[in-house]
Amino acid sequence: MNLKALQLRYATCLVVCLPVVSGCSGRRPAPEVLARVGDRTILVEDFRTEAERRQRLGQAIPDKETLLRDMVAAEAMIQRAKRAGLAEDPVIRRELDRMLVAKLKERELSPRLERMEVKDADLKSEYERNIAKYTQPRFVRLAGLVLDVPEGATDAKRVETRARLTDARQRIIKSPAPGGRGPAAQGFGTLAIDCTDDPVSRHRGGDLGWLRDGARLSRWPVNVIEAGFALKAGEVSDVMDASGGCYLVMKTDERPAAVTPIEKVRASILQSLRVRKEQEVRDAYLA
């Protein structure tokens, strides 16, 4: 039997009082009362509400007598639990308090959250405000040769060291090492084996790896790295004197700075804004 039919049948028998518990005298109860349980009454509206609740939860709705009997039994147990003092139990009180808060938020806070929206103007403003976050910096790949010159070395030693790197520079310009982008970039190639005192890069063509703007390497002087950044891809610097030795640097590759389009980060920005706005709505509600 569907809900409407069940309600219609009850509308025709409101005068009936079901003697399920105490409280049913010979007098006819008010038309809307279906049953009395102790000092409580079960009304037609209560019956309708329970049937609608079960229907909303996808539960089967039994025949009217069974449904009303279930309601009466539930009310009787509620009253017995109260007489037993369970309503004053601290644990139950806390659970009830949490339920009350949850219901209050469902009634008052949830509609505010549902009305919240993130506009395109908000999204664009957030993107522009954090443009640095979505900007990929410039990267360069350098290769270098270094020959150590001990402190206190003679001028002749310095001239000899510079001459070795000058010769290496001329040789690499005349006959560049084969290679390409990424790990295949050879830089100074096999020339580095005999022309550098850097054990890390000696067998990698002097490759120093990819460096972002402003990067520093502990083994290499700042002015040497900056000179490498200033080169064009494939160019080799002049021989430079710096702390501890003589240096030669080459720019083997470059990746220009790039800004990620807003379309590619739209979803993440939108999610971030929603979380922030939801928190603002919650804070305003609690205030």
Side-chain angles (χ1 to χ4, degrees), residues 187-218:
F188 292 99
T190 57
L191 190 64
I193 297 175
D194 299 321
C195 295
T196 187
D197 290 329
D198 183 9
V200 176
S201 62
R202 173 180 289 134
H203 297 284
R204 301 188 311 188
D207 181 37
L208 303 180
W210 286 100
L211 304 172
R212 62 184 297 168
D213 268 337
R216 298 290 182 262
L217 293 177
S218 59

Side-chain angles (χ1 to χ4, degrees), residues 13-34:
C13 62
L14 295 180
V15 296
V16 177
C17 176
L18 300 182
V20 291
V21 193
S22 62
C24 187
S25 65
R27 294 178 300 172
R28 296 171 63 183
E32 70 275 12
V33 174
L34 295 179

Side-chain angles (χ1 to χ4, degrees), residues 163-174:
R164 286 181 61 191
L165 284 187
T166 300
D167 178 65
R169 181 178 187 276
Q170 292 172 349
R171 288 164 61 187
I172 199 65
I173 291 175
K174 182 178 180 180

Side-chain angles (χ1 to χ4, degrees), residues 2-287:
N2 61 38
L3 181 59
K4 289 186 176 180
L6 197 58
Q7 294 170 349
L8 180 61
R9 291 189 58 180
Y10 259 104
T12 62
C13 62
L14 295 180
V15 296
V16 177
C17 176
L18 300 182
V20 291
V21 193
S22 62
C24 187
S25 65
R27 294 178 300 172
R28 296 171 63 183
E32 70 275 12
V33 174
L34 295 179
R36 298 184 186 278
V37 184
D39 58 354
R40 297 288 301 278
T41 57
I42 297 178
L43 307 178
V44 169
E45 183 60 31
D46 300 326
F47 180 87
R48 181 183 299 110
T49 299
E50 175 62 14
E52 290 175 349
R53 184 189 69 83
R54 295 192 182 198
Q55 187 178 56
R56 186 168 57 253
L57 296 176
Q59 299 176 354
I61 301 177
D63 61 80
K64 63 181 186 298
E65 290 84 2
T66 300
L67 179 57
L68 186 57
R69 187 165 53 249
D70 289 348
M71 294 176 65
V72 168
E75 179 60 36
M77 286 187 287
I78 290 172
Q79 292 186 27
R80 180 164 182 165
K82 289 180 177 179
R83 288 195 300 271
L86 293 180
E88 303 303 319
D89 183 276
V91 175
I92 295 177
R93 291 287 296 271
R94 285 195 294 271
E95 289 297 325
L96 178 59
D97 288 344
R98 281 194 284 269
M99 292 175 63
L100 289 173
V101 170
K103 193 64 178 179
L104 182 66
K105 287 183 176 180
E106 179 184 340
R107 177 180 297 180
E108 297 182 351
L109 179 58
S110 294
R112 300 187 189 188
L113 292 173
E114 291 173 0
R115 291 194 299 269
M116 184 208 72
E117 61 177 343
V118 178
K119 299 179 180 179
D120 287 341
D122 298 331
L123 193 146
K124 183 178 179 181
S125 177
E126 181 72 6
Y127 173 77
E128 293 175 348
R129 188 170 65 87
N130 294 282
I131 194 66
K133 177 181 177 181
Y134 307 112
T135 300
Q136 176 76 14
R138 179 173 70 121
F139 279 83
V140 301
R141 190 166 191 170
L142 301 180
L145 301 179
V146 56
L147 292 176
D148 295 334
V149 179
E151 186 176 352
T154 63
D155 290 342
K157 177 63 176 177
R158 293 182 180 279
V159 170
E160 177 191 351
T161 303
R162 286 184 61 87
R164 286 181 61 191
L165 284 187
T166 300
D167 178 65
R169 181 178 187 276
Q170 292 172 349
R171 288 164 61 187
I172 199 65
I173 291 175
K174 182 178 180 180
S175 181
R181 181 182 297 275
Q186 294 299 306
F188 292 99
T190 57
L191 190 64
I193 297 175
D194 299 321
C195 295
T196 187
D197 290 329
D198 183 9
V200 176
S201 62
R202 173 180 289 134
H203 297 284
R204 301 188 311 188
D207 181 37
L208 303 180
W210 286 100
L211 304 172
R212 62 184 297 168
D213 268 337
R216 298 290 182 262
L217 293 177
S218 59
R219 175 70 173 82
W220 295 77
V222 172
N223 63 310
V224 174
I225 298 300
E226 289 178 345
F229 269 77
L231 297 171
K232 295 180 180 178
E235 281 188 335
V236 183
S237 71
D238 293 328
V239 178
M240 293 173 281
D241 292 317
S243 59
C246 295
Y247 295 82
L248 193 64
V249 67
M250 174 196 297
K251 179 187 284 187
T252 59
D253 206 347
E254 181 174 6
R255 294 173 183 165
V259 178
T260 303
I262 190 173
E263 291 77 15
K264 290 190 175 182
V265 293
R266 180 184 183 87
S268 63
I269 297 177
L270 187 60
Q271 177 62 20
S272 177
L273 285 176
R274 280 177 177 165
V275 170
R276 186 192 309 166
K277 284 181 173 290
E278 285 180 359
Q279 188 59 51
E280 291 173 353
V281 171
R282 289 188 174 93
D283 290 344
Y285 171 74
L286 292 177

